[in-house]
Amino acid sequence: TGAMTIEMNGQEITLQQAGNYLEQTDRALRESVFFKVNNRRLLDKDKLNDLLHSLIEKRSKVAANAGFSSYREYMFASLGRFDYTVEDCLQFHQSVEKLLVPLNNQVDERHRNDLGLKELRPWDSAASKPGQSPLKPCESGSDLMEKTIACFEEIDPFLGECMRAMRDANRLDLESRKGKAPGGYNYPLYETGLPFIFMNSSNTLRDLVTMVHEGGHAVQSIVDIPLELVDFKNIPSEVAELASMSMELISMEHWQHFFSNPDELKRARRKHLEDVLKGLPWIACVDAFQHWLYTHPGHTSAQRNEAWVNCHQRFSGNTVDWSGLDDFRENIWQKQLHIYEVPFYYIEYGFAQLGAIAMWKNYQQDPSGTIRKYIDALKMGYTASIGEIYERAGIRFDFSEDYVRELSDFVRDEWKKLL
């Protein structure tokens, strides 16, 4: 997928760079780019289907050899999920479907009205309002890093020191370029201590969010240095993503370092909250799809596509019109690298997102106390259960319907303040 490119204005660009065009106000341009990107993905759909067939076959054999009834049961054991069960994941799916999908319908309807459209199509989802330019928080990867240092410094001087140390040690590869693998990540380096951040910046709001997200991971890598055993630093994703997603929302209180214009700052915060609201149903959708994949190991490509569309319809709401785009919709799961590379690793983002919302809620009430608890929780590494680490952070590891309702209501109220 790193080799996937399209041509725009006589230039070959990555699909990540193409995403910038989907924020433009020119609807015909957005539609054209949407078709180019998705037609490019379709060129490799059969190869990617064959690859997943092979992976499911091998993974199911591994599970059987290890004495498990399905690969799902094997992976729950392999991932060390001592703190929650398959049934808890299914409960999370139901809570998101019941509470977040209707809220996202409200967000989409507001967006449709802002754009002045009769119907919202997939290429409209990220579009800027007429008269607005796409948000541009930085001019380059180095500019992004300098602004991140200033932002983290304002949250807490120690956080700024962490980012400055990484910059000075050249532990960054931020710019997007042809042939570079997609995505972004923080990679711990246990011998030297300071981690490494990899991403594909094209100077968009998404890049700002990725930077502060990976910055949260980096802080955890740094505060974990004193832990005696490497296994203590091998943190479960439910905790690691709490570190990163909390920093997305907490840093949002200081995004004036990226947007000096108050209107742009307000737009950026609103856009990110909308992405948070949309992210939870997407996480539930991808996780539910993986549950289906490995409890139906003998399925065909057609059955897989049908199962995906059912999941997508369940969690995507009813405001975006996908009519005439069946081929694209059936195969969009292929862009989710987790399905290929790290099976069943994705629900963690959903649990951590709920925790991050709770952290942000606490930060608004007690900034210094919340950051102190945040750092104290990260220092624990994996020397305690997930629930105990969340408790140290001052929040709950809980994904019941009542808790999801409490947090979704908070985000909804914050979103409405930015309308």
Side-chain angles (χ1 to χ4, degrees), residues 372-412:
R372 184 178 64 253
K373 291 178 181 178
Y374 170 82
I375 294 174
D376 285 346
L378 300 193
K379 286 180 177 179
M380 297 174 75
Y382 197 21
T383 61
S385 71
I386 296 172
E388 289 171 325
I389 296 170
Y390 273 51
E391 185 178 357
R392 178 71 64 88
I395 58 175
R396 292 153 50 192
F397 184 61
D398 184 356
F399 24 90
S400 64
E401 183 177 316
D402 288 343
Y403 192 52
V404 174
R405 178 180 287 105
E406 174 188 335
L407 297 177
S408 63
D409 286 349
F410 167 72
V411 176
R412 180 201 61 208

Side-chain angles (χ1 to χ4, degrees), residues 299-363:
H299 63 263
T300 65
S301 295
Q303 290 171 329
R304 179 190 300 155
N305 288 345
E306 181 182 1
W308 167 257
V309 171
N310 289 337
C311 281
H312 195 251
Q313 289 173 337
R314 177 185 176 190
F315 292 105
S316 62
N318 54 22
T319 51
V320 178
D321 180 8
W322 281 84
S323 60
L325 304 171
D326 291 347
D327 282 351
F328 295 161
R329 190 177 199 180
E330 288 176 355
N331 293 279
I332 56 174
W333 60 267
Q334 292 185 341
K335 71 179 183 180
Q336 193 67 52
L337 65 84
H338 300 72
I339 294 172
Y340 291 92
E341 295 186 356
V342 278
F344 282 100
Y345 166 56
Y346 205 57
I347 189 70
E348 294 91 338
Y349 289 94
F351 297 157
Q353 185 68 82
L354 295 179
I357 292 169
M359 291 292 294
W360 178 41
K361 187 171 182 284
N362 290 349
Y363 182 79

Side-chain angles (χ1 to χ4, degrees), residues 97 129 133 135 169 222 225 274 277 316 318 336-337 363 367 373 377 379 392 395 409 414 417-419:
E97 180 183 13
K129 287 174 62 175
S133 300
L135 291 164
I222 291 169
I225 291 173
E274 291 173 351
L277 291 172
S316 62
N318 54 22
Q336 193 67 52
L337 65 84
Y363 182 79
K373 291 178 181 178
K379 286 180 177 179
R392 178 71 64 88
I395 58 175
D409 286 349
E414 292 297 311
K417 293 177 184 178
L418 298 170
L419 296 179

Side-chain angles (χ1 to χ4, degrees), residues 55 90 96 126 156 178 180 188 200 273 300 317 324 347 366:
L55 288 170
L90 301 181
V96 169
D156 186 272
K178 181 181 176 183
K180 185 177 180 181
N200 282 270
L273 286 188
T300 65
I347 189 70
D366 179 15

Side-chain angles (χ1 to χ4, degrees), residues 17-53:
Q17 292 168 328
N20 293 349
Y21 289 93
L22 297 177
E23 299 182 17
Q24 299 290 332
T25 57
D26 185 337
R27 196 182 193 200
L29 174 64
R30 297 197 305 268
E31 182 177 357
S32 172
V33 172
F34 175 85
F35 272 84
K36 282 187 176 184
V37 167
N38 283 279
N39 279 322
R40 175 61 188 89
R41 290 190 183 280
L42 289 185
L43 292 179
D44 286 320
K45 73 170 185 177
D46 291 336
K47 290 181 182 178
L48 290 169
N49 266 322
D50 290 344
L51 175 58
L52 191 59
H53 276 308

Side-chain angles (χ1 to χ4, degrees), residues 215-287:
H217 284 311
V219 169
Q220 175 137 44
S221 298
I222 291 169
V223 300
D224 283 351
I225 291 173
L227 292 173
E228 183 179 6
L229 301 180
V230 170
D231 270 354
F232 290 164
K233 306 175 187 181
N234 188 16
I235 305 148
S237 298
E238 298 85 353
V239 174
E241 299 306 332
L242 175 68
S244 56
M245 289 181 159
S246 295
M247 198 50 58
E248 291 179 22
L249 292 170
I250 289 172
S251 72
M252 197 166 60
E253 302 290 336
H254 308 278
W255 279 5
Q256 73 277 4
H257 292 284
F258 301 92
F259 302 101
S260 57
N261 182 302
D263 290 337
E264 289 191 347
L265 175 60
K266 186 176 180 180
R267 279 178 57 204
R269 296 184 67 201
R270 173 183 161 185
K271 177 65 169 60
H272 182 53
L273 286 188
E274 291 173 351
D275 287 345
V276 168
L277 291 172
K278 289 182 178 297
L280 283 163
W282 177 259
I283 291 165
C285 183
V286 170
D287 189 62

